[in-house]
Amino acid sequence: QVQVQESGPGLVRPSETLSLTCSVSGGAITSHYWNWIRQPPGKGLEWIGYIVYHGGSTNYSPSLKSRVTLSMDTSTNQFSLRLTSVTAADTAVYYCARGDWSSWLDPWGQGTLVTVSS
Amino acid sequence: QSALTQPPSASGSPGQSVTISCTGTSSDVGGYNFVSWYQQHPGKAPKLMIYDVSKRPSGVPDRFSGSKSGNTASLTVSGLQAEDEADYYCNSHAGTNNYVVFGGGTKLTVL
């Protein structure tokens, strides 16, 4: 049974880069689509993007595309998120999740709260 | 790519049925049979309840069902139970760019 778990700093300074890693167990990241989703406090879910092993393909939300980079490391079975030039508006719980071309997302990690503040 | 439209709230008494709608466009909900629904309890991660419009993952009670007509998908919860009180989100495959788009969420209250 596949499980995913987010890790990374809980506090990032404004204008700096947010970096998170998602560790996958119980299955290889060489199949499926690997997604990042975020949820600002008290608000709804926002899809950030996904990465696919085959061809190293990525796809990003148009609203974040200029600041987001996803990557994956098959040797550690992990994939990562980098979000540059963060502001307070990027404060959110960040989730990673396995997905598919049809856009279902399962399972989800427990989420990690990232606060952007000086 | 715009968010899908969900009602902010819905409610029902124990044992009743409630339906939550998710309205998009022909570029997302209406164009593909790829709508999913998620249940999120406070402080918890979302849980997949329905995928591909009407399919239930293993372990999800058959009280949860999904359907679609045109650009609107629906989640129906039958035989409401107290533990069904949660936020529900829909999402869909979107457009030729293969984006993923979410609805704004619906808070379901069991009266």
Side-chain angles (χ1 to χ4, degrees):
Chain A
Q1 166 183 354
V2 174
Q3 293 183 311
V4 296
Q5 175 72 59
E6 307 86 354
S7 61
L11 179 65
V12 181
R13 308 291 186 197
S15 79
E16 296 189 344
T17 297
L18 179 160
S19 296
L20 296 175
T21 296
C22 182
S23 299
V24 180
S25 60
I29 61 171
T30 51
S31 66
H32 290 94
Y33 290 45
W34 300 96
N35 292 257
W36 287 97
I37 305 100
R38 71 180 183 179
Q39 185 172 34
K43 297 187 178 180
L45 300 169
E46 179 184 19
W47 175 71
I48 298 171
Y50 64 65
I51 184 167
V52 186
Y53 170 71
H54 294 290
S57 177
T58 54
N59 200 7
Y60 303 132
S61 168
S63 63
L64 296 170
K65 186 173 184 176
S66 63
R67 299 193 292 128
V68 172
T69 302
L70 301 190
S71 59
M72 63 173 23
D73 184 342
T74 57
S75 67
T76 58
N77 221 39
Q78 296 175 324
F79 63 105
S80 299
L81 164 70
R82 289 183 74 252
L83 180 66
T84 61
S85 305
V86 298
T87 69
D90 295 308
T91 293
V93 175
Y94 285 76
Y95 295 99
C96 60
R98 182 184 64 169
D100 190 77
W101 187 80
S102 64
S103 300
W104 56 256
L105 298 165
D106 180 69
W108 295 57
Q110 66 184 29
T112 187
L113 174 63
V114 179
T115 301
V116 178
S117 175
S118 55
Chain B
Q1 146 228 18
S2 301
L4 308 178
T5 300
Q6 296 182 234
S9 63
S11 63
S13 299
Q16 290 186 332
S17 294
V18 67
T19 297
I20 299 169
S21 62
C22 171
T23 301
T25 69
S26 58
S27 295
D28 38 63
V29 173
Y32 308 90
N33 287 323
F34 295 147
V35 177
S36 303
W37 289 91
Y38 305 85
Q39 177 191 65
Q40 185 180 35
H41 287 111
K44 300 295 186 181
K47 174 187 176 183
L48 178 67
M49 304 300 284
I50 296 288
Y51 68 101
D52 293 354
V53 175
S54 60
K55 298 177 182 177
R56 268 189 317 275
S58 174
V60 173
D62 60 6
R63 302 185 295 102
F64 291 85
S65 62
S67 63
K68 192 187 84 168
S69 177
N71 295 337
T72 298
S74 298
L75 172 72
T76 297
V77 186
S78 304
L80 271 174
Q81 298 181 5
E83 60 260 36
D84 298 333
E85 184 162 294
D87 293 327
Y88 291 84
Y89 293 91
C90 62
N91 85 340
S92 173
H93 182 88
T96 55
N97 291 315
N98 300 326
Y99 296 139
V100 176
V101 61
F102 279 99
T106 297
K107 181 175 182 59
L108 174 61
T109 301
V110 180
L111 301 171

